[in-house]
Amino acid sequence: MRIAGGRPLRAVKIVLMALVLSAAGAVGASAANADPGVLRATLPNGLRVVIVRNALAPVVSTSVNYLVGSDEAPKGFPGMAHAQEHMMFRGSPGLSADQLANIGSVMGGDFNANTRESITQYLYSVPSEDLDVALHIEALRMKGVDDSEKDWDKERGAIEQEVAQDISNPGYKMYEQLRAEMFAGTPYEHDALGTRPSFDKTTAEMLKKFYDTWYAPNNAILIVVGDLDPQKTLAEIKQLFGPIKAKKLPPRPKVRFETVPARSFTVDTDSPNETQIIALRFPGLHSRDFPALEVLSDILASHRFDLYGLVAAGKALHADFSIEPLPKAGIGYAEVSFSPGGDAKAIEQEMRSILTKVATSGVPPELVAAAKLQERRDAAQEKNSIAGLASVWSDAIALYGLKSPDEDLARIEKVTVADVDRVAKKYLKLDHAISALMLPQGSGKPVASSGFGGQETISLGEAKPTELPDWAEAALNRLAVPKSTLHPVVATLSNGLTLIVQPEDVSDTVGVYGHIRNRAETEEPAGKDGVSLLLGPLLTFGTEHLDRMQYQAALDQIGASEHAGTDFSIEMLSQNFDRGVELLADNELHPALPAAALALIKPQFANAIAARNKSPGWLVRRALTAALFPATDPSLRQATAETIGALTPDDVRAYYNKVFRPDLTTIVVIGKVTPEEVRASIEKYFGGWTAVGPKPETDLPVAPPNHAAELSVPDASRVQDNVVLAYNLAVTRADPDYYPLALGNAVLGGGFYSTRLSIDLRKNTGLVYSVGAGLEAGRTRGVYYVEYACDPDNVGKAEKIVVQELKNMQTAPVTADELTRVKALMLRRIPLDEASIGGIAGGFLQDRELNLPLDEPTVSAQRYVALDPADIEAAFKKWMRPGDLVRVTQGPAPQ
């Protein structure tokens, strides 16, 4: 479950949908005509409802937003709201935990929740025909919750594993210390995660009291987005939620902030690079200054601004500025990463000089205009994902107090250069900044693990049929193959380039997404290891026609977001489609690759690679790969500081010429554009692209079966072990046995609560917070893996359970109930995977990469429906090798 603030800082890049809070009141039905395709209502019990129609795919997303979070947690129990969020999945009157888990996974497994400072959200994305089921679930959970002591005793173990997982993340530790310094003495000094000691003192009775106090229809907002009938949906909501009684809500806690003193601290990290952060307290979402602050943030993060200029000058590997928004205050972060051994003090001083200059001299007016145009594109693109649009509407109304996401854009459009200069002067106060340095500590070499001691008896959870409520039974036993709504137009240009066009009119945008089939391990010349790593950043230095700043300015003029490389893309408003394709082609086909830029960035990258090769994450990857494949396997090639340092501009250009070729390229175009318009633009700008020489080798060799091994990578920054169990497989994606293996994996570990591994490791024992299993099958070989994180003394216990469950899959058929459930899951994934523009493009590109037909989801569904328990048992018996599992841990030595 996602906890705001409980993330590595680099994942905290925020693009706010609404930045000014107006008074939060009930949204009346009188506003229904204000937004086309939007229906609003407030039920007599106070529940606010917003229904938004979006016909991208036959999918609906629901978001129930309770206006309670960590701000309302009792003193000394910072994770109370988070704990109650967990317990909402442990059952309610009329809906057991097993029923909820089975229903959720069958509907596609796309359900989650998150707790923040002022809201707790419960999220479902389901096929449109299952909307009734999702609404029933949320109505029952709003009526009541079990919160039994027995269930809390089990869930406490899982949530404490989540805490251990997050506090093992150096980025999270840094973030928590920043909050403690920035918001001392207020509820904001901690995030919503909670602590192990407080959870040990928390009782089920306390949780039930918290639920009874805050979980009420008059303290909630229900957002429903997707391909639906708004009036029919509203009628059902009234029927299901209308009888729930309102509650008298207590007053909210008051927050008073003190002046932030300038401070600095250092946090050890297992990342290979150093990161310098300068954090400033910004006003919260209630402030009238927030729209101007968002524009300021966009400018400070611009690749045309001086902060990113540190990267272009070869002084840094990454530079960014972002905001962590909170209702009554926020944090603005300037962040610069650089290779180890760099002068952190000098970097910090340059960062301070850049921010001080903005505060005193203001911002370039052209960057204000560019930021506002980017916001217009972002606002249009919100409609390109059904789940994303539900999230945007939820935050806009429940968190930011606006009537709609469009209200934020309207406010941003009014922001002037003078407004941005004013807030920069007012809030970029470096004498009240907190500086944090994340300092790499490296790792010891992988060592053979001593194992996990003697034998012990493990009691596995029983996979047994679960009787479902009447309102769910018929819907969830439906095993019809859904009809795809996609009808791509496919063409091959004379130069061999494959073009796939999928017109969509849900927004006034177009996205171009491309992939060049490549594999650095087989394409980099001997002794030139790492040349592919240098090529990527060099592509940001402009083209043969436009230098770096000119190229970025050209993108800004059309509000486009572009990325070049073997995976490339550009997203823009549809009116700028042709110009966007022209700019993308210029970067892909005519990159400058300047020698001066190579000379600037090479020292940083050489140092970064040297540090990477000693970092725990990299050592885990290397140890696992070395245990799975022969010593001569191309996947074991490794760049070093020496190979990077020896590379020349000719080496980079030669690698580019070898890899970048049209006959290995697929381009997908999706959006408000016709196939004819697309063909004309792609022909115009990509049609002259020619391939030179024979196609390079892009396939890895078939590998012999690996042998069992246990390896441990020390990582002093973690209190918990990350664990990977894996073995290689000769199964390819084209093998008919892929389908029964994939279906069996869904039984074993492909969902949330209802899979065998989740029942055993989380629900019944609390050994882990989450566990996942996956089958990765490529064109020539595959890997099967299981991943989890747990305390060191539980590593072996969890592994034994995994091994036993794998053996069970080989010796006994899955139950009829399990098979029906996972078949329904796989079938429902088809519309869910087509419910975003990015998902559609990614699916097409993946099918092409694996030499599969573009209707492969439908083909797969038909094969899944035809499989029986004997097929799954036979495939697991033939291919799976539990005795050959390789175990690699990262963290303390397993006990």
Side-chain angles (χ1 to χ4, degrees):
M1 299 174 189
R2 301 186 303 276
I3 306 303
R7 309 181 291 267
L9 181 64
R10 196 160 298 175
V12 177
K13 178 69 176 174
I14 299 296
V15 180
L16 296 177
M17 305 325 319
L19 303 165
V20 180
L21 266 173
S22 59
V27 181
S30 60
N33 296 326
D35 301 295
V38 179
L39 177 63
R40 307 169 187 266
T42 301
L43 305 192
N45 60 9
L47 177 66
R48 285 182 275 170
V49 181
V50 179
I51 302 169
V52 182
R53 177 165 169 74
N54 183 299
L56 175 62
V59 169
V60 175
S61 289
T62 64
S63 176
V64 179
N65 303 268
Y66 292 97
L67 305 183
V68 59
S70 58
D71 287 353
E72 287 74 29
K75 187 174 179 60
F77 296 88
M80 183 72 73
H82 180 204
Q84 182 53 53
E85 173 218 303
H86 275 240
M87 291 300 289
M88 291 289 278
F89 292 90
R90 284 281 183 174
S92 296
L95 184 67
S96 71
D98 288 340
Q99 289 175 327
L100 178 57
N102 276 279
I103 292 169
S105 61
V106 168
M107 289 195 302
D110 202 352
F111 61 102
N112 213 326
N114 68 72
T115 304
R116 290 188 259 179
E117 288 74 16
S118 60
I119 61 172
T120 304
Q121 298 175 310
Y122 297 89
L123 316 164
Y124 272 95
S125 289
V126 300
S128 296
E129 55 195 351
D130 293 329
L131 173 59
D132 171 75
V133 179
L135 292 176
H136 268 89
I137 290 171
E138 297 299 11
L140 284 171
R141 297 204 295 189
M142 189 177 287
K143 287 179 183 177
V145 68
D146 289 341
D147 275 349
S148 73
E149 197 68 51
K150 178 182 177 182
D151 286 337
W152 171 237
D153 285 343
K154 292 180 179 178
E155 191 60 35
R156 181 189 285 113
I159 199 170
E160 289 185 352
Q161 289 300 311
E162 182 183 2
V163 171
Q165 184 174 307
D166 278 354
I167 65 176
S168 290
N169 185 319
Y172 175 79
K173 289 192 288 188
M174 183 279 303
Y175 172 76
E176 274 295 274
Q177 188 167 344
L178 269 180
R179 285 186 67 135
E181 301 274 3
M182 194 77 71
F183 303 120
T186 76
Y188 287 3
E189 67 182 343
H190 57 74
D191 75 347
L193 179 67
T195 64
R196 275 184 159 180
S198 67
F199 289 134
D200 287 340
K201 295 185 297 181
T202 300
T203 66
E205 183 180 1
M206 296 166 64
L207 293 171
K208 188 63 164 62
K209 180 180 178 181
F210 186 84
Y211 172 92
D212 289 340
T213 300
W214 295 106
Y215 279 64
N218 53 314
N219 197 41
I221 300 169
L222 171 60
I223 307 292
V224 187
V225 176
D227 189 11
L228 47 73
D229 181 324
Q231 290 292 347
K232 182 179 178 181
T233 301
L234 180 59
E236 183 166 14
I237 289 171
K238 289 179 178 179
Q239 179 183 355
L240 294 173
F241 292 84
I244 305 173
K245 294 182 180 180
K247 298 176 183 177
K248 183 178 180 181
L249 302 172
R252 309 279 176 174
K254 294 183 179 180
V255 181
R256 294 184 177 88
F257 299 106
E258 301 294 334
T259 301
V260 179
R263 294 178 184 173
S264 61
F265 62 88
T266 299
V267 174
D268 291 343
T269 178
D270 52 12
S271 168
N273 301 314
E274 296 187 37
T275 300
Q276 178 66 56
I277 293 154
I278 296 177
L280 300 143
R281 191 166 74 203
F282 277 9
L285 300 169
H286 292 277
S287 172
R288 295 179 180 274
D289 287 338
F290 221 95
L293 282 168
E294 184 181 21
V295 175
L296 174 62
S297 178
D298 290 343
I299 292 169
L300 297 181
S302 169
H303 282 205
R304 295 166 66 191
F305 188 66
D306 293 346
L307 200 60
Y308 186 81
L310 296 174
V311 177
K315 298 178 180 180
L317 298 165
H318 168 84
D320 202 0
F321 193 94
S322 57
I323 297 175
E324 175 71 5
L326 303 172
K328 298 176 182 177
I331 306 176
Y333 302 90
E335 172 192 1
V336 173
S337 296
F338 49 98
S339 60
D343 190 339
K345 289 293 184 183
I347 289 288
E348 180 184 356
Q349 187 55 51
E350 288 206 56
M351 294 168 68
R352 287 178 174 271
S353 297
I354 290 168
L355 296 176
T356 298
K357 181 181 177 182
V358 173
T360 56
S361 303
V363 299
E366 64 272 17
L367 293 188
V368 175
K372 291 166 71 172
L373 184 54
Q374 291 279 2
E375 291 289 344
R376 286 179 216 135
R377 190 207 72 229
D378 288 343
Q381 285 186 312
E382 291 163 4
K383 301 173 184 177
N384 291 347
S385 165
I386 290 176
L389 187 59
S391 177
V392 165
W393 273 87
S394 293
D395 283 359
I397 297 175
L399 187 61
Y400 311 138
L402 301 174
K403 294 179 180 179
S404 74
D406 289 342
E407 186 177 345
D408 174 54
L409 180 61
R411 294 169 188 251
I412 287 177
E413 293 283 15
K414 297 177 182 178
V415 171
T416 66
V417 175
D419 292 330
V420 179
D421 288 345
R422 176 179 55 79
V423 297
K425 183 176 182 179
K426 185 176 181 180
Y427 298 113
L428 294 181
K429 294 186 176 296
L430 278 301
D431 53 343
H432 294 288
I434 296 177
S435 298
L437 177 65
M438 299 189 70
L439 197 62
Q441 293 303 304
S443 171
K445 294 182 178 180
V447 296
S449 173
S450 59
F452 46 80
Q455 297 294 316
E456 61 180 303
T457 301
I458 301 293
S459 177
L460 297 184
E462 182 182 356
K464 55 186 178 181
T466 302
E467 184 178 351
L468 298 178
D470 293 341
W471 46 265
E473 184 73 40
L476 300 185
N477 285 326
R478 184 182 64 249
L479 294 180
V481 176
K483 293 183 178 180
S484 175
T485 59
L486 302 180
H487 304 285
V489 177
V490 184
T492 302
L493 274 58
S494 59
N495 58 7
L497 185 151
T498 299
L499 175 62
I500 303 171
V501 184
Q502 175 65 40
E504 296 287 354
D505 60 0
V506 293
S507 75
D508 190 25
T509 65
V510 181
V512 180
Y513 310 93
H515 173 70
I516 302 170
R517 181 174 292 189
N518 72 101
R519 189 171 296 279
E521 303 99 305
T522 60
E523 293 179 291
E524 289 183 335
K528 307 296 182 182
D529 299 89
V531 64
S532 61
L533 301 177
L534 279 180
L535 176 58
L538 280 177
L539 291 172
T540 67
F541 279 86
T543 73
E544 294 172 355
H545 309 106
L546 300 170
D547 66 23
R548 183 182 75 85
M549 293 293 280
Q550 291 170 333
Y551 186 80
Q552 189 60 50
L555 291 173
D556 285 346
Q557 287 171 2
I558 61 172
S561 174
E562 183 263 0
H563 174 77
T566 51
D567 290 295
F568 55 95
S569 65
I570 189 165
E571 296 171 325
M572 68 235 108
L573 295 170
S574 55
Q575 68 195 52
N576 298 317
F577 170 68
D578 187 75
R579 177 57 171 159
V581 174
E582 180 182 15
L583 288 172
L584 178 63
D586 195 25
N587 205 0
E588 282 290 303
L589 277 57
H590 310 289
L593 306 180
L598 178 62
L600 284 173
I601 69 172
K602 199 162 62 169
Q604 278 281 338
F605 271 83
N607 290 337
I609 288 298
R612 181 204 68 175
N613 292 349
K614 299 176 183 178
S615 67
W618 182 256
L619 292 175
V620 166
R621 176 178 171 181
R622 291 282 296 175
L624 184 61
T625 305
L628 293 179
F629 302 108
T632 56
D633 195 83
S635 62
L636 286 165
R637 294 183 64 179
Q638 175 175 262
T640 66
E642 290 72 27
T643 62
I644 292 289
L647 292 171
T648 67
D650 288 342
D651 293 330
V652 177
R653 177 64 69 175
Y655 182 78
Y656 166 83
N657 289 335
K658 178 180 182 179
V659 174
F660 281 55
R661 46 190 301 143
D663 52 352
L664 290 176
T665 298
T666 299
I667 292 179
V668 177
V669 181
I670 306 180
K672 195 173 183 180
V673 66
T674 68
E676 294 76 19
E677 291 171 319
V678 172
R679 180 66 181 261
S681 291
I682 297 297
E683 285 274 17
K684 186 193 316 183
Y685 301 116
F686 284 90
W689 189 14
T690 58
V692 178
K695 291 182 181 179
E697 178 60 68
T698 58
D699 284 332
L700 290 168
V702 175
N706 65 274
H707 300 293
E710 291 183 358
L711 298 166
S712 176
V713 176
D715 187 346
S717 68
R718 295 182 179 272
V719 299
Q720 191 183 55
D721 278 309
N722 284 339
V723 185
V724 181
L725 309 174
Y727 44 72
N728 66 31
L729 292 173
V731 175
T732 67
R733 184 59 181 83
D735 194 309
D737 278 343
Y738 170 84
Y739 299 97
L741 289 173
L743 202 59
N745 180 63
V747 171
L748 192 62
F752 190 46
Y753 275 152
S754 60
T755 65
R756 291 186 179 185
L757 291 180
S758 188
I759 290 170
D760 293 337
L761 297 178
R762 176 184 168 138
K763 181 175 179 288
N764 290 343
T765 64
L767 292 175
V768 307
Y769 167 59
S770 63
V771 57
L775 171 62
E776 291 186 356
R779 296 189 299 270
T780 58
R781 66 193 194 188
V783 171
Y784 186 77
Y785 65 90
V786 177
E787 292 181 298
Y788 56 91
C790 65
D791 291 340
D793 58 343
N794 290 330
V795 170
K797 298 174 187 176
E799 181 183 7
K800 281 190 174 183
I801 292 175
V802 172
V803 170
Q804 186 58 56
E805 286 290 14
L806 281 168
K807 291 178 178 179
N808 290 346
M809 294 290 293
Q810 296 178 308
T811 57
V814 299
T815 66
D817 179 69
E818 287 178 309
L819 187 58
T820 298
R821 175 170 52 79
V822 296
K823 283 184 178 181
L825 164 67
M826 294 298 205
L827 296 177
R828 282 167 168 79
R829 288 308 317 175
I830 294 177
L832 292 177
D833 289 343
E834 297 174 359
S836 72
I837 296 298
I840 295 169
F844 286 156
L845 291 172
Q846 182 181 45
D847 288 343
R848 284 284 302 166
E849 177 70 7
L850 293 171
N851 298 330
L852 298 172
L854 296 185
D855 65 345
E856 171 60 20
T858 299
V859 173
S860 296
Q862 293 167 344
R863 295 199 180 194
Y864 291 139
V865 169
L867 292 169
D868 61 27
D871 296 324
I872 296 173
E873 183 182 354
F876 267 71
K877 188 177 296 184
K878 176 181 178 181
W879 294 105
M880 294 298 185
R881 311 187 318 276
D884 288 339
L885 275 172
V886 172
R887 189 185 82 188
V888 182
T889 60
Q890 177 184 349
Q895 300 173 14

